[in-house]
Amino acid sequence: MSLPASHPDIDSHQHKGKTCPVTGKGHEWCPPQDGDSRSPCPALNTLANHGYLSRDGRNISVFDLIRGLKNGYGLSTPLAIVLAFGGFILLGRFTNLSLFEIGKHGAVEHDASLVHKDTPKGEEYAPIDVQEDLLEKLLADAKTGDEDSEGLEAGDRRTLMDATDVARARVRREKESPALDALHAEIARGEMGIILGVWETKVGRKVGIPVEWMRDWLRKERLPEGWKPTHAQGLLDVVKRSKAIRLAMVDLRKAEMPTDEKARL
């Protein structure tokens, strides 16, 4: 069946506003097209790919961002406000922005990303391409086989990533990158703390995010098939999850210390 002459080319079309001319109404996923603006942040890129932000990733206001975070991920109003205004303040922006600006190094963006290379010395903006080797290492950090219904043999659908798994990945990446200051270390933990709460799932006795969801989200910047927010993710919950990641990181680093160093603590 051929498409009518008026139908946009499905391999190359322009995005204007939140409605994609190919997918039509609603919030169906469509990958970015030539000329669309994207950032190193999979959460925001995903909102644009689903039309919760302008699909071209341009001319986004702080209020657009608040609405997108609430509607796309189910974040509470206070949490969405803190994230949106906090991001604009760190970027030093008081007017609308394009998603690529989120990648300005040292503002919101930071080194030791779980799936992106560090910003090359002298560059103003961070790389936005996901590194496949880093992605697979992140997912492997969840496949430890230490808990029920988990591990390589269980498959991605049943393998869940929790705060300890995220901590394991953060410790690994922070060994490989320049040291993070306190603010950006907190941002790095908070990013994953948010998504742990948004997609929390239970399999057997373990609670976490299905690894297959993480893979699709990070690689394709797409929401899980058929998923809709089921609860409001609040600020205090994110603080709690970020703390859980931090404490797990402390324990993991202690476990790696030589015995004599542990004795001096």
Side-chain angles (χ1 to χ4, degrees):
M1 179 178 176
S2 61
L3 295 171
S6 61
H7 196 287
D9 183 341
I10 62 172
D11 293 321
S12 179
H13 56 277
Q14 289 188 336
H15 284 149
K16 293 182 179 179
K18 296 182 179 180
T19 300
C20 171
V22 171
T23 63
K25 296 180 180 180
H27 292 291
E28 295 178 61
W29 177 81
C30 181
Q33 303 297 302
D34 289 344
D36 288 352
S37 180
R38 292 296 185 265
S39 76
C41 177
L44 298 186
N45 293 345
T46 297
L47 291 179
N49 289 344
H50 281 275
Y52 289 104
L53 294 175
S54 295
R55 288 184 182 263
D56 64 3
R58 300 180 183 278
N59 198 33
I60 296 169
S61 74
V62 69
F63 299 105
D64 292 331
L65 189 52
I66 291 169
R67 283 189 293 269
L69 291 168
K70 290 177 61 179
N71 296 332
Y73 292 110
L75 303 194
S76 69
T77 298
L79 178 56
I81 288 173
V82 167
L83 294 175
F85 277 98
F88 270 68
I89 289 169
L90 287 174
L91 288 165
R93 289 299 300 267
F94 301 97
T95 57
N96 295 1
L97 52 72
S98 294
L99 286 182
F100 84 89
E101 295 176 74
I102 303 294
K104 184 177 181 180
H105 183 57
V108 180
E109 185 276 337
H110 53 81
D111 285 325
S113 164
L114 296 180
V115 294
H116 297 94
K117 287 183 177 180
D118 293 340
T119 304
K121 188 175 182 179
E123 293 289 329
E124 185 177 5
Y125 293 95
I128 66 171
D129 293 332
V130 170
Q131 297 298 303
E132 193 67 23
D133 60 327
L134 291 179
L135 174 58
E136 291 305 318
K137 286 178 182 178
L138 169 64
L139 302 181
D141 283 322
K143 300 178 182 182
T144 61
D146 293 338
E147 293 93 359
D148 292 343
S149 302
E150 186 229 45
L152 290 169
E153 72 286 348
D156 287 356
R157 184 177 297 277
R158 290 177 58 81
T159 301
L160 303 184
M161 175 173 284
D162 62 12
T164 300
D165 300 325
V166 172
R168 189 178 296 112
R170 287 243 47 88
V171 168
R172 173 177 53 79
R173 283 295 288 137
E174 289 182 23
K175 286 180 182 176
E176 302 167 349
S177 301
L180 295 177
D181 58 46
L183 172 62
H184 289 96
E186 186 62 40
I187 289 173
R189 293 189 296 266
E191 292 165 345
M192 291 301 292
I194 291 170
I195 207 65
L196 284 175
V198 168
W199 286 343
E200 183 174 271
T201 302
K202 187 175 183 180
V203 175
R205 292 182 296 174
K206 190 176 182 187
V207 175
I209 303 173
V211 163
E212 66 171 347
W213 288 10
M214 287 293 295
R215 176 182 275 112
D216 231 23
W217 183 56
L218 293 169
R219 181 186 283 160
K220 298 180 180 179
E221 296 177 329
R222 179 168 63 185
L223 294 172
E225 187 76 26
W227 177 85
K228 296 292 182 184
T230 58
H231 63 281
Q233 177 71 4
L235 180 58
L236 292 180
D237 188 59
V238 174
V239 171
K240 180 180 72 174
R241 292 175 189 279
S242 178
K243 181 180 179 180
I245 294 170
R246 178 176 59 81
L247 293 177
M249 290 175 69
V250 170
D251 289 342
L252 289 166
R253 285 171 172 152
K254 282 183 180 178
E256 294 175 351
M257 287 181 181
T259 305
D260 59 336
E261 288 188 27
K262 291 181 186 178
R264 290 198 295 269
L265 291 177

